[in-house]
């Protein structure tokens, strides 16, 4: 093969490798390197033929190409049961191809054509044998199947007519082999774009659903707050979002006493309980309702009680295979249940109750997406129920100070009791509200084994409206934050979800960073909050990092950017609200940013012996001493991270 024959192939492989590199950066997937390997295999085959000139190298390379392509298909389609036949087939074909190379003594052309033809035929059959058993993977395979099938078939026909080493084969047929992995790589790209669009659409739909529920809860609280109304809003929203046929909300009979039984407080649709009921109850839906309202479920009994006891959401997509639903298997019976979900309503250390939903149509089940959405939904629903219950307690007592104290308790329980522990970093935080109800919030969320997100925000306003906005921020952070997004993308999606949903004058300044322990960097984004302070221990330098952006909730089209900040062992990261820097001395002087930065430098000088908690307590004590112990005029919140 001359160098001229190689030009087209080298150009194609260059394009293929560029596509592969782009894919790895945009839509990475474990099976993609096989395609890059195929391109390099083809290049190695042609370079070897160019250098040695041994004719059998070409059919032997074709056999190797078919074997690797079939291995990719086996892994992609999940056909593990074909492993032994595949190995035997590969050994036989490879052995015949190797024999051709060794016995290169002018064998007839069919001898050279047969092994690659058989190998390609096997691959084509395997491609067309893939069905929709594995939905995610079969879609890509179905998209590239025509290109692979027709490409391999016509290539073998052309090779049979012209021969492997002929100019038509070298200039036209063999470049087609390069196009097959390139077409598969393009299929990855197309599927990645489709998945991204579908994921954004699902996020938007779930966000709209969640905010629709939030608006309904807020509207129910705008007039005369009523627990039964709120419970029914929670239940109807959950049923509408998932297409459930029946739903219930069960609350503990006496507050703060989990040894008490669960009692039905809200019911919609037909909800057969997961237990044996008298025959008379099954005669009508009204009988079911009467029976349920008289029923008490002990914590730990039935799947409903188990969800309350274990504090874990229970998802049974197909009740037929679950012995706990042995009494709910008759399809013609009102007690029939096809799919079941129970979500514990957990607020801080307490279990309030359980939200339970059923589907009753045979073959119709809750999906994994339904279950994931309901888990996010239940988080906000719990806070809404607790807020309404607490607010009703306030109305009964008619004491302003009591109202502030209870509202502060709600917000205090919303702040994490224990910050995540990891080998990569340690955290410390504190929040001191200026009055009974504060407007500051912080949170630390573990995304995976190497990624941790930390957020601090200052909500405009006080009282119940600020508390509800804090609940929304908390819910959206835990809903949107993921290992696939940097801090800027997370803030952008959070803002897009909040904007247009809040009343005028309601917004929040937010600082958010994501610590990548493996890469040793922070991804930081700021929505009009104070700059991030990072003390770099190695250089002894305290640096400020900031990005531009409006507070979240004002303008939905804002695109927040992220900034990458390198961090190393013993570096300190400090986030704070303006209650720290604007704290006033008895003479009316502000504590100020310069004083805070000097304090961080002095504390950090202790090196590796300094802990995050030591930094937090030192700053808090210094601010308290500066103000003379006076009551703060604004909330003081600190969040400290020390890199280990």
């Amino acid at each position: 093969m001359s160098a001229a024959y190689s030009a087209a192939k080298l150009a194609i492989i260059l394009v293929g490798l560029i596509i592969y590199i782009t894919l790895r950066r945009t839509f990475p997937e474990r099976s993609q390197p096989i395609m890059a390997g195929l391109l390099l295999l083809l290049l190695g085959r042609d370079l070897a033929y160019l250098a040695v000139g041994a004719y059998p190298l070409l059919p032997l390379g074709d056999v190797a190409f078919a074997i690797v392509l079939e291995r990719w298909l086996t892994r992609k389609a999940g056909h593990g049961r074909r492993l032994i036949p595949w190995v035997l087939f590969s050994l036989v074909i490879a052995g015949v191809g190797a024999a051709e190379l060794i016995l290169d003594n002018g064998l007839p052309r069919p001898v050279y054509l047969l092994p690659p033809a058989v190998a390609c035929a096997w691959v084509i059959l395997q491609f067309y044998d893939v069905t929709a058993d594995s939905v995610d993977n079969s879609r890509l395979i179905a998209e590239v199947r025509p290109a692979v099938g027709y490409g391999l078939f016509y290539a073998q026909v052309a090779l049979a007519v012209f021969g492997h080493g002929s100019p038509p084969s070298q200039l036209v047929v063999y470049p087609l082999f390069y196009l097959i992995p390139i077409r598969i790589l393009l299929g990855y790209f197309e599927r990645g774009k489709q998945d991204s669009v579908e994921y954004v659409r699902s996020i938007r739909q779930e966000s709209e659903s969640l905010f629709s529920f939030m608006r309904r809860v807020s509207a129910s609280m705008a007039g005369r707050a009523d627990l039964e109304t709120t419970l029914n809003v929670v239940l109807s929203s959950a049923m509408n979002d998932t297409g459930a046929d029946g739903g219930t909300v069960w609350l503990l009979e006496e507050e703060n006493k989990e040894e008490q039984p669960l009692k039905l407080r809200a019911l919609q649709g037909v909800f057969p309980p997961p237990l044996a009921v008298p025959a008379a109850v099954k005669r009508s839906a009204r009988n079911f309702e009467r029976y349920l309202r008289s029923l008490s479920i002990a914590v730990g009994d039935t799947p409903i009680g188990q969800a309350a006891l274990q504090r874990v959401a229970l998802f049974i997509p197909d009740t037929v295979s679950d012995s706990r639903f042995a009494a709910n298997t008759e399809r013609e019976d009102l007690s029939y249940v096809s799919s079941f979900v129970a979500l514990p309503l957990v607020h801080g250390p307490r279990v309030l109750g359980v939200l339970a939903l059923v589907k009753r149509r045979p073959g119709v089940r809750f999906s994994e997406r339904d279950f994931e959405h309901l888990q996010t939904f239940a988080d906000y629903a719990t806070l809404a129920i607790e807020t309404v219950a607490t607010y009703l307690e306030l109305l009964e007592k008619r004491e302003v100070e009591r109202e502030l104290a209870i509202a502060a308790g709600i917000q205090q329980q919303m702040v994490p009791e224990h910050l995540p522990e990891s080998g990569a970093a340690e955290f410390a935080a504190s929040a001191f509200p200026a009055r009974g109800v504060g407007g500051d919030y912080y949170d630390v969320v573990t995304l995976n084994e190497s990624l941790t997100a930390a957020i601090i925000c200052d909500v405009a306003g006080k009282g119940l409206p600020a508390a509800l906005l804090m609940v929304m921020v908390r819910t959206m952070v835990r809903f949107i934050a993921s290992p696939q997004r940097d801090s800027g993308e997370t803030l952008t999606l959070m803002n897009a979800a909040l904007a247009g949903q809040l009343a005028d004058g309601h917004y929040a300044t937010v600082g958010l960073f994501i610590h990548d322990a493996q890469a040793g960097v922070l991804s930081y984004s700021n929505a009009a909050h104070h700059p991030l302070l990072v003390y770099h221990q190695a250089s002894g330098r305290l640096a400020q990092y900031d990005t531009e952006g409006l507070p979240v909730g004002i303008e939905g089209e804002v695109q927040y950017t992220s900034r990458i900040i390198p961090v190393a062992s013993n570096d300190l990261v400090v986030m704070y609200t303006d209650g720290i820097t604007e704290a006033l001395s008895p003479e009316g002087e502000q504590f100020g940013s310069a004083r805070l930065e000097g304090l961080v430098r002095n504390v950090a000088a202790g090196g590796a012996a300094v802990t995050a908690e030591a930094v937090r307590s030192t700053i808090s004590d210094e601010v308290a001493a500066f103000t003379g112990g006076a009551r703060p005029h604004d909330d003081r919140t600190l969040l400290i991270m020390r890199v280990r």
Side-chain angles (χ1 to χ4, degrees), residues 516-565:
D516 187 340
Q518 186 174 1
V521 297
L522 303 178
S523 169
Y524 176 68
S525 188
N526 193 357
H529 199 73
H530 295 285
L532 185 73
L533 297 181
V534 180
Y535 183 86
H536 298 281
Q537 191 68 237
S539 62
R541 182 174 63 94
L542 179 66
Q544 285 190 2
Y545 298 96
D546 202 2
T547 63
E548 294 184 358
L550 293 173
V552 298
I554 295 179
E555 174 56 56
E557 300 300 320
V558 175
Q559 298 291 317
Y560 294 89
T561 59
S562 59
R563 184 168 181 177
I564 303 302
I565 305 167

Side-chain angles (χ1 to χ4, degrees), residues 75-94:
R75 177 180 298 179
K76 196 70 181 166
H79 290 166
R81 63 184 182 275
R82 295 191 179 131
L83 181 60
I84 294 177
W86 176 85
V87 171
L88 293 176
F89 168 79
S90 301
L91 290 175
V92 171
I93 294 298

Side-chain angles (χ1 to χ4, degrees), residues 9 194 279 349 383 591 628:
K9 300 169 187 175
Q194 293 171 0
L383 294 169
F591 189 80

Side-chain angles (χ1 to χ4, degrees), residues 443-464:
D443 202 358
V444 178
V445 182
T446 300
L447 304 181
N448 61 23
E449 60 271 14
S450 64
L451 295 177
T452 304
I455 184 172
I456 192 169
C457 74
D458 189 349
V459 176
K462 305 293 181 186
L464 284 174

Side-chain angles (χ1 to χ4, degrees), residues 9 45 62 151 154-159 162-164 166-179:
K9 300 169 187 175
R45 176 199 64 188
D62 297 349
Y154 286 116
Q156 294 305 310
V157 171
L159 291 173
F162 299 109
H164 292 83
S166 65
S169 296
Q170 292 297 313
L171 289 173
V172 179
V173 179
Y174 271 109
L176 290 176
F177 281 89
Y178 289 88
L179 296 178

Side-chain angles (χ1 to χ4, degrees), residues 62-393:
D62 297 349
V63 169
F65 175 84
I67 290 174
V68 175
L69 186 60
E70 204 276 345
R71 179 80 292 235
W72 171 84
L73 178 66
T74 301
R75 177 180 298 179
K76 196 70 181 166
H79 290 166
R81 63 184 182 275
R82 295 191 179 131
L83 181 60
I84 294 177
W86 176 85
V87 171
L88 293 176
F89 168 79
S90 301
L91 290 175
V92 171
I93 294 298
V96 174
E100 290 180 351
L101 181 61
I102 296 171
L103 303 173
D104 183 16
N105 54 359
L107 295 174
R109 181 186 296 178
V111 175
Y112 295 108
L113 294 172
L114 186 59
V118 172
C120 291
W122 172 266
V123 171
I124 295 171
L125 288 174
Q126 300 313 301
F127 264 89
Y128 280 89
D129 187 46
V130 174
T131 62
D133 294 335
S134 175
V135 176
D136 291 338
N137 294 335
S138 66
R139 186 171 66 177
L140 172 61
I141 294 170
E143 289 173 355
V144 303
R145 182 160 49 201
V148 174
Y150 289 120
L152 291 177
F153 175 76
Y154 286 116
Q156 294 305 310
V157 171
L159 291 173
V161 173
F162 299 109
H164 292 83
S166 65
S169 296
Q170 292 297 313
L171 289 173
V172 179
V173 179
Y174 271 109
L176 290 176
F177 281 89
Y178 289 88
L179 296 178
I180 289 174
I182 291 177
R183 174 63 186 93
I184 294 175
L185 288 173
L186 291 175
Y188 276 109
F189 189 82
E190 293 167 2
R191 195 186 65 166
K193 285 186 61 178
Q194 293 171 0
D195 289 345
S196 296
V197 170
E198 291 174 3
Y199 184 73
V200 170
R201 185 185 297 115
S202 68
I203 287 287
R204 184 173 300 166
Q205 290 174 347
E206 293 184 12
S207 298
E208 290 174 356
S209 169
L210 194 59
F211 273 106
S212 174
F213 166 61
M214 292 176 178
R215 287 194 298 269
R216 293 182 65 189
V217 170
S218 299
S220 70
M221 296 172 61
R224 184 178 180 276
D226 178 74
L227 183 58
E228 301 300 324
T229 300
T230 301
L231 293 177
N232 279 294
V233 168
V234 168
L235 191 52
S236 62
S237 298
M239 291 179 63
N240 290 337
D241 289 349
T242 59
D245 298 311
T248 52
V249 178
W250 304 77
L251 299 183
L252 289 174
E253 194 168 20
E254 292 187 32
E255 189 178 357
N256 296 323
K257 292 185 178 180
E258 294 184 20
E259 67 273 11
Q260 294 295 316
L262 294 159
K263 293 290 291 185
L264 182 69
R265 297 296 299 272
L267 167 67
Q268 293 184 22
V270 177
F271 184 91
L275 48 82
V277 300
V281 173
K282 303 179 184 179
R283 293 173 184 170
S284 68
R286 184 177 295 273
N287 289 351
F288 255 124
E289 181 175 350
R290 291 173 181 166
Y291 178 77
L292 287 171
R293 293 196 182 280
S294 66
L295 186 65
S296 295
I297 297 179
V299 173
D301 288 350
T302 79
I304 296 173
Q306 290 169 8
L309 177 65
Q310 299 170 3
R311 302 186 176 207
V312 175
L314 186 62
F315 177 35
I316 305 175
D318 186 4
T319 58
V320 174
S321 58
D322 195 299
S323 60
R324 291 170 292 184
F325 289 84
N328 305 90
T329 57
E330 294 295 330
R331 294 195 175 191
E332 304 303 323
D333 201 304
L334 263 180
S335 64
Y336 178 73
V337 174
S338 62
S339 194
F340 178 87
V341 174
L343 301 140
L345 304 175
V346 181
H347 189 208
R350 297 192 299 113
V351 176
L352 304 182
V354 176
L355 168 66
L357 303 173
V358 298
K359 288 194 175 184
R360 302 184 57 253
R361 289 161 289 174
V364 179
R365 303 183 178 93
F366 293 109
S367 66
E368 289 285 349
R369 179 165 290 179
D370 289 335
F371 181 57
E372 292 172 2
H373 174 65
L374 284 172
Q375 288 180 293
T376 303
F377 176 92
D379 191 19
Y380 182 82
T382 303
L383 294 169
I385 292 169
E386 176 67 8
T387 300
V388 172
T390 304
Y391 189 64
L392 289 173
E393 182 182 346

